Amino acid sequence: MKAFETTAHYFHRAADQIELSDNIRRLLLTPKREVQVQVAIERDNGEIATYIGYRVQHDDSRGPMKGGLRYHPDVDIDEVRSLAALMTWKTAVVDLPYGGAKGGVNVDPRSLSAREMEMVTRKFIDGIHDLIGPDIDIPAPDMGTNDKVMAWVMNQYNKYHGFSPAVVTGKPVEMHGLPGREEATGRGVGIMAYKLLGRLHRKPQQTRVALQGFGNVGSHAAKILHEMECKVVAVSDLSGGYYCAEGLNIPHVLRYALEHRGQLAGYREAEHISNEELLALDVDLLIPAALGGVITAANAEKVRAPVIIEAANAPIDHEADDMLHHAGVVVLPDILANAGGVTASYFEWVQNRQHYRWSLDRVRQELEHVLTAAFEKVWELAAQRKVSLRMAAYMLGIGRVGRATVLGGII
Ligand code: NAD
């Protein structure tokens, strides 16, 4: 199923609930701008490699557009378009003064040397530098990119436009980045898990968690869940899953990943299972934190967890979502669950514009404050309107974007 179909499906369901007219639906669903640029580099072996870079700017009615840059071989216009729309609803759900955008390059970052990665980034920014900016569209990290990539984005943009640290977030702390930005999405997932488990009258100590994906989001989520005393029984990455019924030694797994360039391959202190098996484990909480579309109609029935937190973007397609809903599974949707990243990005942007450095304590405190307020609002709306948490989050986000669009004037 096309990624855009899934987000559009949720959009229409929520739009029905808030009785949005067809004309406003069409307006809100249509991206403001989509660009595709050539990203050609000379590889270390002298060969020319050509990739395609995308940037979709979905909506700016609530502020400058905001969204990550993904480097992955599956990146295409459909995926980027869908993720850009998700960003619009996400920034609105947490009430940040932003719109939504997304970008990416269809390249496998693992196939690139550091120099090649830098070239891909600089060439991509050459192609889109006129379309982004601190008051227009502010990229950030996503799958396959990191703080180093963001430093190159800033540096390349500055060559054209002068010193502008606020053009991109997720930068290294030494390069105008924010203390705590890197951990923020995973920490946000932890904050959400804590709130949700509380509302469901579940104790963290009695919660067995399976986590798919051990990159930026998955590893930080594992750390904070472990600190909350949840029992993380399985984690995974591209190399497969690692399972221990008594709970993994998460500090040990984290150290192992750190010593092996972020990879879990070869970890021997746990049973090796497949990613598919991980999704079907008998656990209390399942957290997909890798790719989109991993739970579909084909495997939804195998999911045994009664609660799912979508740390990844769009990990459940809409048919699977219906099946899970009917089976009574509580799903905390991506646009709320992983909003910690964009919230900390907002703090970084504010810090850059203030030219005043925030402390880690302040970042963590304000992150908790913003995310808690958004969680409570969505929870209340879901209870009031008797809809799922996903529907409530979409209704809240779309309603805010719709109101801003109408207030700003359409013609
Ligand atoms: P990352 O590149 O740091 O890590 C991705 C992880 O997923 C790695 O462990 C990788 O091995 C694993 N993975 C890749 N393909 C897999 C597969 N087929 N099966 C199992 N595991 C696989 O990416 P990230 O930044 O942690 O992002 C993960 C998800 O969270 C993405 O969906 C992203 O859009 C979303 N997200 C990230 C942020 C952020 O701040 N980084 C913010 C919001 C949402």
Side-chain angles (χ1 to χ4, degrees), residues 193-208 228 230 283-285 304-307 328 330:
Y194 191 78
K195 298 285 162 201
L196 183 62
L197 292 173
R199 286 291 193 168
L200 298 173
H201 310 293
R202 288 172 177 268
K203 289 197 168 58
Q205 295 82 352
Q206 287 157 14
T207 305
R208 293 161 303 150
M228 275 164 53
C230 285
V283 288
D284 306 297
L285 172 60
R304 283 192 281 171
V307 184
V330 176

Side-chain angles (χ1 to χ4, degrees), residues 55-245:
R55 188 77 187 163
V56 173
Q57 299 177 329
H58 176 251
D59 188 279
D60 66 352
S61 57
R62 304 182 73 256
M65 293 166 284
K66 189 92 190 74
L69 287 183
R70 175 175 290 197
Y71 290 180
H72 193 280
D74 292 346
V75 164
D76 61 15
I77 189 67
D78 182 69
E79 182 183 70
V80 177
R81 190 182 288 147
S82 156
L83 292 170
L86 267 187
M87 284 306 296
T88 300
W89 319 134
K90 189 183 298 183
T91 53
V93 169
V94 276
D95 209 6
L96 304 176
Y98 283 143
K102 200 78 180 190
V105 180
N106 67 339
V107 62
D108 183 353
R110 289 168 314 152
S111 71
L112 301 178
S113 69
R115 188 200 70 89
E116 291 169 337
M117 187 90 163
E118 179 173 349
M119 288 314 299
V120 163
T121 305
R122 291 190 186 276
K123 290 299 283 286
F124 182 44
I125 298 306
D126 284 345
I128 64 164
H129 74 89
D130 266 346
L131 307 174
I132 59 173
D135 286 319
I136 304 169
D137 176 5
I138 307 132
D142 191 71
M143 269 181 77
T145 60
N146 55 24
D147 58 342
K148 280 199 199 80
V149 175
M150 299 307 119
W152 295 324
V153 170
M154 169 179 153
N155 185 269
Q156 196 65 10
Y157 180 87
N158 287 356
K159 286 181 186 166
Y160 293 100
H161 302 276
F163 179 68
S164 322
V167 67
V168 60
T169 58
K171 302 177 295 289
V173 176
E174 306 86 329
M175 274 279 275
H176 307 276
L178 184 83
R181 167 63 184 88
E182 200 197 305
E183 68 173 23
T185 308
R187 174 168 282 271
V189 169
I191 293 170
M192 290 293 167
Y194 191 78
K195 298 285 162 201
L196 183 62
L197 292 173
R199 286 291 193 168
L200 298 173
H201 310 293
R202 288 172 177 268
K203 289 197 168 58
Q205 295 82 352
Q206 287 157 14
T207 305
R208 293 161 303 150
V209 186
L211 237 166
Q212 182 183 59
F214 209 69
N216 174 296
V217 179
S219 63
H220 282 107
K223 181 166 182 279
I224 183 159
L225 288 163
H226 176 76
E227 285 166 9
M228 275 164 53
E229 298 181 38
C230 285
K231 200 193 269 187
V232 182
V233 296
V235 297
S236 78
D237 68 1
L238 255 178
S239 69
Y242 301 85
Y243 172 70
C244 174

Side-chain angles (χ1 to χ4, degrees), residues 28 59 61-62 88-89 92 396-406:
L28 296 190
D59 188 279
S61 57
R62 304 182 73 256
T88 300
W89 319 134
L396 184 63
I398 294 168
R400 282 176 173 161
V401 176
R403 274 193 298 284
T405 305
V406 172

